[in-house]
Amino acid sequence: MAKRLPVVAIVGRPNVGKSTLFNRLVGKKLALVDDRPGVTRDRREGDASLLGLEFRVIDTAGFEDEDPQSLPGRMRVQTEAAVANADVALFLIDARAGVVPLDAEIARFLRGSTTPVVLMANKAEGRAAEAGVLESLELGFGDPVQFSAEHGEGIADLFEALLPHIEKEGEEDLEDEEEEAENGPLKLAIVGRPNAGKSTLVNRILGEDRMITGPEAGITRDSIAIDLDWNGRPVRLIDTAGMRKKAKVQEKLEKLSVADALRAVDFAEVVVLLLDATLGLESQDLRIADRVLEEGRALIIALNKWDVAEEPSSLFQGVRKALDDGLAQVRGVPLIAVSAATGKGIDQLIDAAFETREAWSKRVTTGQLNRWFERAIEANPPPAPGGRRIKLRYVTQAKTRPPGFILFGTRVDQLPESYRRYLVNGIRRELGFGAVPVRLTMRAPKNPYGNK
């Protein structure tokens, strides 16, 4: 069943830029735009996306003070109905024209409605808009979002203003979707260099000789998905062809097998990179691990053939250190010793895969996230390159699987990579994301005077 998107209604007098804003939010020119007032007569709807926020947006006709039986009057009735059914109304004024009597009348109507209102001062680029922005405070909706629908300036501020009204509605749907995904089969891909024991491991997990095995490298050619029940929990297991260095991928068939293995990573939630404990960690293993993390998948490292490994304790510590050094972007990736031949460690491996998927699918509330964020920047304030302070304002989680976050602030393009890593590591450590890939995107509001 399709989820109900939160509804945002755009309201304002004629020719303040409602249709231009609508087109920008839906990413298409669905609404006619013209300098003449009154071009929009019917409600127009579209699905909108704003920095990860998903909602339904309604472009209403210009609100006019007319008899309900006249065409402008009937348009006004349609607008009132749109506001009544919306989760939040965007009230647009023209900052260059300032507040006019019709703006004040619309404000009275909106104050009498139960729908939350976000005031937007459109056409706010340039100094000509400053007086209109100040005048808008008298409308009773607090500070306006200063915006330019035509140029897209003020996107981050609009996101911040809409978030409290949309997130609450959307969070329940997102949580339902994520819970459904978490209760679905664990999509587990097993990858590694040829002859690391992948098919033997699959057979051990299944409890049957489902895969052809042998001492020859490269027996498995295709990625094969198998559904099974693991202690009452569904698993979809994907066995893949071995991955070798490109220079060694000679035959066309083996090239196709490696491409198939990479596709298997794309369809997996958690990827187990199987190492041969008798060979230790090689550079090709790190390249495979790096590819898995680049694709945003949760990663577990399994050391196979543990039953025949020499000096297992020092081997384990050596591989652990090499992984932390070689995968600096994600420290602490789970490392588990297993034996496909005897079954040692397989329970621990599958349990770790479920736990890792849970962290990979985790969502934290904006309140919890920003309480951590305030503590983090208080403990370690961002630097001030050239004496100009970088101001970090706000952070929100835009997505899961893998977790993605958006950080808003000024001059964030000058934030050093070391400080970005400090924030990402804090998110993992303090908010329970563990060693899964975490994406952090920077957003800065445009300076309307920047090019002057």
Side-chain angles (χ1 to χ4, degrees), residues 29-164:
K29 291 191 175 179
L30 297 181
L32 294 175
V33 176
D34 193 89
D35 288 339
R36 293 168 298 169
V39 170
T40 303
R41 290 184 173 178
D42 299 304
R43 283 185 284 172
R44 185 175 279 102
E45 301 186 23
D47 290 340
S49 178
L50 180 68
L51 302 180
L53 280 184
E54 306 289 335
F55 53 93
R56 187 91 178 148
V57 63
I58 300 176
D59 177 26
T60 66
F63 195 102
E64 300 193 53
D65 183 16
E66 297 283 348
D67 185 286
Q69 300 307 312
S70 67
L71 176 60
R74 294 197 301 276
M75 289 157 59
R76 171 177 171 160
V77 170
Q78 284 282 312
T79 298
E80 289 173 346
V83 171
N85 293 319
D87 295 288
V88 59
L90 288 178
F91 175 20
L92 252 67
I93 67 158
D94 182 336
R96 292 181 184 173
V99 174
V100 302
L102 188 50
D103 292 324
E105 183 183 335
I106 298 170
R108 279 194 297 274
F109 153 67
L110 290 172
R111 283 197 300 270
S113 165
T114 58
T115 303
V117 176
V118 171
L119 178 62
M120 291 185 66
N122 191 29
K123 308 179 187 178
E125 69 276 20
R127 299 190 183 278
E130 289 177 1
V133 169
L134 289 173
E135 283 179 21
S136 71
L137 296 172
E138 71 189 43
L139 296 172
F141 298 108
D143 290 327
V145 173
Q146 297 182 50
F147 199 82
S148 170
E150 188 172 347
H151 301 106
E153 294 171 3
I155 289 285
D157 294 325
L158 177 58
F159 175 97
E160 194 171 338
L162 282 178
L163 188 67

Side-chain angles (χ1 to χ4, degrees), residues 277-278 303-310 312 337-344:
T278 64
L303 265 173
N304 190 27
K305 307 182 185 178
W306 196 246
D307 52 317
V308 294
E310 296 180 6
V338 300
S339 169
T342 68
K344 172 188 162 44

Side-chain angles (χ1 to χ4, degrees), residues 196-197 200-201 274-281 301-320 323 335-346 348:
T200 306
L201 178 61
L274 200 63
L275 309 183
D276 185 335
T278 64
L279 300 176
L281 184 72
I301 310 291
L303 265 173
N304 190 27
K305 307 182 185 178
W306 196 246
D307 52 317
V308 294
E310 296 180 6
E311 300 184 11
S313 178
S314 59
L315 170 66
F316 190 91
Q317 295 304 322
V319 171
R320 173 81 276 165
L323 283 172
L335 175 63
I336 297 168
V338 300
S339 169
T342 68
K344 172 188 162 44
I346 291 177
Q348 185 186 357

Side-chain angles (χ1 to χ4, degrees), residues 6 15 66 80 98 139 185 211 232 235 279 285 350 360 415 439:
N15 214 32
E66 297 283 348
E80 289 173 346
L139 296 172
M211 298 293 160
V235 176
L279 300 176
D285 296 315
I350 304 296
W360 186 68
L415 200 65
R439 308 286 192 247

